[in-house]
Amino acid sequence: MTGNNNGAEQNGNAVPAPRDTGGEAIRVRKGMFGANNGGDTSGYGGLIRTITLPGAASRPYGGWFDEVADELEGALEEQDLLPEHAIERTVVDRDELTFHIAREHLVQVARTLRDDPALRFELCTGVSGVHFLGDKGRELHAVYHLRSLTHGRIIRLEVSAPDSDPHIPSLVEVYPTNDWHEREAYDFFGIVFDGHPALTRIMMPDDWQGFPQRKDYPLGGIAVEYKGAQIPAPDQRRSYS
């Protein structure tokens, strides 16, 4: 890949602050995995960490990041969509450019990124789900990695939805490779991708209750049947003091 330098070395103002000293703190996590309903077996029970989301960046972002942002905003304006209505914030963090997109405009933004000659992000390598319990009103996040084969660039899109309304538009019509990735995010996180051609579970049994990778999903207490044998739930095996 070419053009992967965001220009931070040339412009110190574009260098993001460490997450522990800037951004948006959403939670204080205790232990390695945040479990608080039983004995900690990881050896990290005394670990306390503030979970901080990176804050919005200010221009200039550095390198080709500004070019992509300018082209996207201009292309949306040509479609009579104000950029500030579609792009909730732009984040430059860890040498990555992320556009946080309002979910109602996701499909239009993705199609613009794919089709505009100056952008040409032809490939979406999938969508990942994230569950932030402390991010009130936007607990569920869907993160997309887009690659431009034409220009040799990678960016990210991030969309959020509340636990109470976990709906995000499907991007299968724009990026067909997202078909199974959206099913996986639905299966594990309960994100409902509206417009998906066949949104069914892909890993868990069809009658499984709950979404195993949500942060409020119980750790332990669920017996597992494997090839006819019953495996005790983790909290019914052995514990460590």
Side-chain angles (χ1 to χ4, degrees):
M1 185 189 75
T2 60
N4 59 355
N5 186 348
N6 72 349
E9 295 179 356
Q10 301 175 13
N11 183 357
N13 293 330
V15 178
R19 290 185 182 175
D20 291 340
T21 59
E24 181 182 0
I26 61 170
R27 186 185 180 192
V28 175
R29 186 171 70 185
K30 297 181 180 180
M32 178 63 76
F33 305 106
N36 55 14
N37 58 350
D40 183 276
T41 61
S42 69
Y44 291 89
L47 180 65
I48 300 177
R49 180 187 177 193
T50 300
I51 306 301
T52 305
L53 301 181
S58 57
R59 288 181 179 269
Y61 305 137
W64 56 264
F65 288 3
D66 290 280
E67 179 184 344
V68 170
D70 289 341
E71 293 290 349
L72 175 58
E73 292 175 6
L76 294 177
E77 288 177 344
E78 291 175 358
Q79 302 172 54
D80 297 323
L81 175 58
L82 293 177
E84 58 267 28
H85 290 172
I87 305 173
E88 296 177 337
R89 66 182 181 275
T90 302
V91 173
V92 177
D93 185 65
R94 276 42 173 186
D95 292 334
E96 291 185 324
L97 174 65
T98 303
F99 295 109
H100 288 251
I101 306 300
R103 55 179 172 172
E104 62 269 23
H105 299 301
L106 174 62
V107 175
Q108 184 174 355
V109 170
R111 186 177 289 110
T112 301
L113 287 165
R114 184 194 66 181
D115 295 343
D116 190 278
L119 297 169
R120 284 288 188 242
F121 286 90
E122 308 99 330
L123 175 65
C124 179
T125 57
V127 56
S128 300
V130 190
H131 190 211
F132 292 113
L133 277 176
D135 198 9
K136 299 303 181 184
R138 52 184 189 186
E139 292 86 356
L140 292 168
H141 291 235
V143 182
Y144 306 81
H145 290 79
L146 307 185
R147 179 185 290 270
S148 172
L149 305 178
T150 299
H151 303 292
R153 297 168 173 172
I154 296 177
I155 64 172
R156 295 170 7 128
L157 300 182
E158 189 162 338
V159 183
S160 62
D163 274 340
S164 58
D165 182 26
H167 291 264
I168 292 175
S170 171
L171 285 187
V172 171
E173 67 175 81
V174 182
Y175 296 109
T177 53
N178 267 20
D179 190 338
W180 284 19
H181 295 280
E182 289 183 1
R183 286 179 60 193
E184 183 179 51
Y186 162 72
D187 194 358
F188 288 152
F189 292 91
I191 300 174
V192 180
F193 293 93
D194 295 328
H196 189 283
L199 193 62
T200 57
R201 289 192 181 272
I202 192 171
M203 300 291 288
M204 308 301 292
D206 290 340
D207 58 352
W208 191 267
Q209 299 297 313
F211 305 102
Q213 288 191 355
R214 286 198 183 189
K215 295 302 182 182
D216 53 2
Y217 192 80
L219 294 176
I222 300 176
V224 179
E225 181 178 340
Y226 181 69
K227 291 186 177 179
Q230 289 288 338
I231 301 176
D235 61 346
Q236 297 174 7
R237 300 176 198 172
R238 58 181 180 177
S239 62
Y240 301 87
S241 59

